[in-house]
Amino acid sequence: MSHRISFRGLLATGAALGGLMVAGPALAAEMPGDGVDVTPATSSIAEEIFQTKILMMGLEELGYDVNSHIELAYPTMHLGIANGDITYSATHWDPLHKAFFEKAGGEDEIWRSNAYIENSLQGYLIDKKTADEHDIDNVEDLKDPEIAKLFDADGDGKADLTGCNPGWGCERVIEHHLDEYGLRDTVEHNQGSYFALMADTITRFENGEPILYYTWTPLWVSGVLTPGENVEWLEVPYTSLPDEQNPETETAEGLNLGFAVNTQRIMATRDWIEENPAAAAFFDAADLPVNDVSAQNLLMREGEDSMKDIERHAATWIEENRKEFDSWLKAARDAAAQ
């Protein structure tokens, strides 16, 4: 059932029961997006749909005609938004997706919001047992062939790193690190289906085998393999990033994890945003705690991973954070009234 229709239905019912008329300027003030078409996009990562659904429900309350979201690879998504084929996405990682953003036309074609989800961590981890037994705390330790062999799952003598899918952006940082830190001869970057690879990684961990993997937050992985409890972050010897990304690095308990601090922003077609100040204000006001996303992702890991489940999670988050959510809507309505 469309949330937009349901919301308008409530307005109509309330008007009929109370003998009131919701029309003309009153409706325009409440629903500044009335009749405006919106096509959102998200990545192929199902764990990023939740944050998109929350915005879709808000836009519907503002009257926008919101189509079903489209799943696209990040580079294609940026190009689609720049070209106006897609209206917006809530999955732009800044600065990880800097190259995608600039190749699609940058600020001239794409508008970006204030921070939507802040403090998204990325980095490399190994199981705590192996870290403690062999005093491993830095990716440079993997230059030692004997240390690297501890994480060899396929018998080729190299450490097997569960890595990042091509097209996500993080794979470019990992490939850069393998060259920069001299790890090519001892570390194999395993790519494919990240979540299938992580399922195998977790199975090996449960069997007591050493593991080496890349991950990020918000995501359910760190709820299953918890840093500081059964796995440990690895530091990098110094900061080195491709694409002239922000040199500020992420830290976990003071550790240099080697990846730039990332903020997830909402991006939208610039021409569309300029015509829809209510949507711009709504996107700028939106602020989703990173831990809330991780908690929802863990529910997906535990089996609540259908589209209906994700939509329920989004609706529940809105219900539990209604005051905050209403402030986003107010910002939109105020912007439209100016």
Side-chain angles (χ1 to χ4, degrees), residues 231-245:
V231 294
E232 295 287 358
W233 292 104
L234 293 181
E235 280 199 277
V236 296
Y238 54 87
T239 300
S240 182
L241 294 163
D243 307 326
E244 298 181 353
Q245 292 183 20

Side-chain angles (χ1 to χ4, degrees), residues 11-38:
L11 284 178
T13 301
L17 292 176
L20 302 174
M21 177 179 291
V22 181
L27 180 60
E30 190 72 11
M31 314 278 274
D34 187 42
V36 179
D37 192 66
V38 177

